[in-house]
Amino acid sequence: MLEIHDTLKGDHGWDIVAIHMAVDEVMESSRLSYPYLGDDDWSAGRILYSECIVTDGDEVVGAGRLIWDVERDNAIPRIQDFCLMRAYRSSFVVDSMISSLIDGYAEDAAGGTTVLSHDGQEIDISERVERLRDIAAGQFEPRVI
């Protein structure tokens, strides 16, 4: 079964070294994100807002991160290190991964309400940020079906 896991929330009981090795393998063969200058420079000014991995059973088949380089001029939060094995690439899975990453960022959204997607497109998340703020303040009643 295909699952998206938020790696920054909760203890999943994974072997961290094995997960990182599996993500590195998927990244090498199945990267979808644009490489940005300085992606490998994890300075003190870089904030990791959200991170996810996608698994099919025990196999890692995808991953992604949403980061913001606070110290870079005009830097907006962006999705990087985004990868997904070809057999799992569908608009539904890609959109679900992006949504998961954006939700993790939108809870704080200190870098603004625009996010760069893995393919360089700007995404306006202002409605999502507002909705999450309303829910946190108790001003929004979730829909019950």
Side-chain angles (χ1 to χ4, degrees), residues 101-120:
L101 292 169
I102 288 174
D103 281 347
Y105 167 72
E107 293 172 2
D108 182 16
T113 58
T114 300
V115 170
L116 274 183
S117 181
H118 68 287
D119 59 4

Side-chain angles (χ1 to χ4, degrees), residues 124-137:
D124 178 5
I125 64 165
S126 56
E127 288 182 19
R128 187 177 304 192
V129 169
E130 189 66 33
R131 189 177 114 263
L132 288 174
R133 286 183 186 153
D134 287 348
I135 290 170

Side-chain angles (χ1 to χ4, degrees), residues 16-85:
I16 299 300
V17 174
I19 290 295
H20 281 287
M21 289 175 53
V23 168
D24 287 346
E25 287 178 27
V26 175
M27 191 74 63
E28 286 180 28
S29 64
S30 305
R31 180 182 282 272
L32 293 170
S33 59
Y34 280 119
Y36 289 91
L37 184 61
D39 269 357
D40 55 351
D41 176 26
W42 282 85
S43 65
R46 177 167 287 177
I47 300 171
L48 175 62
Y49 274 96
S50 58
E51 181 179 59
C52 71
I53 64 168
V54 180
T55 59
D56 185 359
D58 291 334
E59 181 183 11
V60 174
V61 299
R65 295 183 177 115
L66 196 148
I67 59 110
W68 180 39
D69 289 314
V70 176
E71 296 175 353
R72 285 191 185 177
D73 292 335
N74 302 319
I76 64 174
R78 63 186 162 88
I79 294 173
Q80 76 164 33
D81 297 337
F82 194 80
C83 59
L84 186 62
M85 289 179 152

